[in-house]
Amino acid sequence: MKAILTVLGRDTVGILAKVSAECANVHGNIIEVTQSVLQEMFAMIMLVDITELTCTLAEFQERMTLVGQREGLVVHVMHEDIFNSMHRI
């Protein structure tokens, strides 16, 4: 199982480190990352393997939301099945 994780907000030092550390804390394995900085705005998309999570997906979503709140970012986690369903023609 995989999840799509998005991060948006003002660019600051350590965003990738903080988000990836929280993923590691619950055994989320980051498969792919793309990020971009547009002037002062940071945008990142991660594909995370959630097969070995030590918490539920809902708890993971809440943990990542809290990371975002602490850092002044918007962090959203969506199961890949939901993401794929939303983007199917």
Side-chain angles (χ1 to χ4, degrees):
M1 290 188 297
K2 297 179 191 87
I4 310 300
L5 188 149
T6 60
V7 180
L8 299 170
R10 288 228 174 264
D11 187 33
T12 58
V13 174
I15 295 172
L16 177 60
K18 291 168 185 164
V19 171
S20 59
E22 190 60 33
C23 285
N25 286 340
V26 295
H27 295 172
N29 184 31
I30 299 166
I31 299 169
E32 270 186 72
V33 177
T34 183
Q35 65 182 32
S36 187
V37 178
L38 308 168
Q39 294 183 2
E40 296 177 13
M41 296 306 293
F42 178 87
M44 177 170 65
I45 302 172
M46 288 182 158
L47 181 61
V48 181
D49 183 338
I50 57 172
T51 307
E52 302 294 322
L53 280 186
T54 57
C55 62
T56 67
L57 179 59
E59 290 167 337
F60 180 52
Q61 290 168 323
E62 180 61 27
R63 291 173 75 120
M64 297 312 296
T65 296
L66 291 173
V67 169
Q69 289 172 349
R70 282 194 305 268
E71 302 302 319
L73 304 165
V74 176
V75 180
H76 184 74
V77 178
M78 182 182 298
H79 193 283
E80 72 173 330
D81 291 343
I82 302 296
F83 181 85
N84 290 334
S85 293
M86 289 175 55
H87 295 91
R88 197 169 292 154
I89 297 176

